[in-house]
Amino acid sequence: MTEPTHVLVARRLSRDYGRRRALDAVSLEIPAGRIVALLGPNGAGKSTFLKLCAGMIEPTDGGASIFGISAREAPNSAPWRVACLLDSHEPPEWADGRRLVAMQAEASPRFDRAFADAFCFGGGIDPRQPYGSLSRGQRRRLLAGVVLASGADLILLDEPADGLDTAARRDLYDRLRRRVNDSGSTAIVATHNIHDIERVADDVAILARGRLVLHGSLEELREEVREIEAPLGAALKPDSPIEILARRRERDAELLWARSTGGERAIAAAFDAAPAISPVGLEDLYLALTQTSFEEFESAQEVQS
Amino acid sequence: MKLRLFLWLMRRLRPITTVAAAVACGWTLLVPGPLYESREWPLLFILAHSIAITSALGRFMTPQFAWLHGRGYSRAALWSHTMAAAGAGALAVWIPAALIVATPARSFVHDRLFTSPYYPIMQPRDAIEIWQWLWTYLALLPLMAYGWIRESQPTRGMMGGWLLVIAAIIAGFSMLNITRPGEFPRELVNGAYGLAALICLIAGRRLYRALEVRR
């Protein structure tokens, strides 16, 4: 059987917790060999998305498949192909590093022992030291190292660098990049630390209030997305080939974040009054997308449709 | 056999096993009179011990449970090793207690130290009773595992699962308490318990595939 080209395919993936919808109709496809930065404010649905991808919870609506099989079936038929480190997952305090590494090695047929020993115990962590006595940064390094060493095809990480110092964070992300390059595996990294992940990620997916508000390759977004300051009252010409991602009304102008494959010229031509157009960084775009109120987001969707 | 996983699960049972083994051995050695005269205490103890084992292994809302389920073990491996650990936890308590009865230890203590008139002639009668203890463990653990596995399903059915387990325990224990080993009603109760445990074991294994790790 041939491997599907996309490691992960989500179709209208949704999950409710009681009456609250944590994830709302998220659809996306992730090809193999990519690092995807999963961004979003607290409560945006990042962890829920990762749990659904790992097959840990049942979607309320829609579904996800990994390697061509239902994500819910993966823990039964291909468990070792997915390794995850979620923020709320912790081993017991009595477990020491040696034991954690040995357990992952037992579960993962492609476990890289040399990598685990070098990374997990390279930061001054004694292999016999109980997990409960490690600092937050050491704990994170140990658990992230175990997951990276697993040799899994899909790596799901939730704030893997939380508590790590600058050098250790950089080291972790560099090693993640190398592992993905070397093995062709795919990683989805949920984080609030945009600067670190931007350095190594290929793609970005931004969630806000459970919805996927942006997904694409970072390279394309850098080329295609612009911040536009348009005079109040400036109208978008009908059938303009630009996608309005977010908009915010200021006192004397309207700020828009738009995407167009035609570059700045196409964006300028889409307005009936000349707007100021400037490139936008990932962090600014993230803030624009996630701080836009729900109503504004809805209206932006209406404008582009 | 995933030895690391098994030892990991057994490690979680260590405090419970230590306390339970001490209590079981102490009681078995020292309780006066034939064991069948105080049969309600072993039943209550086995019930409490089974609840403790189930609680330690099946606390599915904890970060530790979630961590274990993110390692890459298949659900079938996790289920089978959990059940094996539960059984081993029960055996680690039952075997020393059974040995106290099966060897002359209990008989010797009651005959020589307490000068009980029942011993040593009651030793074979006591030896029958210990098999009922083992059977009770083997019946209770799958029943209780089924309770928590069902509770952790996406479509919860929590009350249905636990009500079934509680009803089976109350009915079975009431019958066991008023009957004697080898007599007709007790064998019927044991047979029904065994059948219920087998059904729960099969159903629990199937349901474990769809278990939700909500943490």
Side-chain angles (χ1 to χ4, degrees), chain B residues 42-75:
Chain B
L43 290 181
L44 285 175
F45 171 81
I46 293 165
L47 177 63
H49 187 206
S50 300
I51 290 171
I53 290 173
T54 304
S55 164
L57 295 176
R59 217 174 290 147
F60 63 92
M61 294 292 276
T62 60
Q64 292 77 30
F65 186 89
W67 189 83
L68 186 63
H69 282 70
R71 299 285 50 80
Y73 291 111
S74 71
R75 291 287 170 88

Side-chain angles (χ1 to χ4, degrees), chain A residues 111-171:
Chain A
F111 190 76
D112 185 343
R113 189 48 161 256
F115 175 89
D117 288 342
F119 185 76
C120 296
F121 307 125
I125 302 171
D126 180 353
R128 292 170 187 274
Q129 201 175 341
Y131 180 77
S133 70
L134 298 173
S135 71
R136 174 147 184 80
Q138 286 177 318
R139 288 179 181 198
R140 225 52 198 161
R141 185 185 176 94
L142 178 60
L143 298 184
V146 163
V147 168
L148 290 185
S150 68
D153 295 317
L154 178 61
I155 297 167
L156 305 170
L157 300 168
D158 191 359
E159 291 295 354
D162 196 19
L164 294 182
D165 60 50
T166 310
R169 275 205 317 267
R170 185 168 278 255
D171 184 32

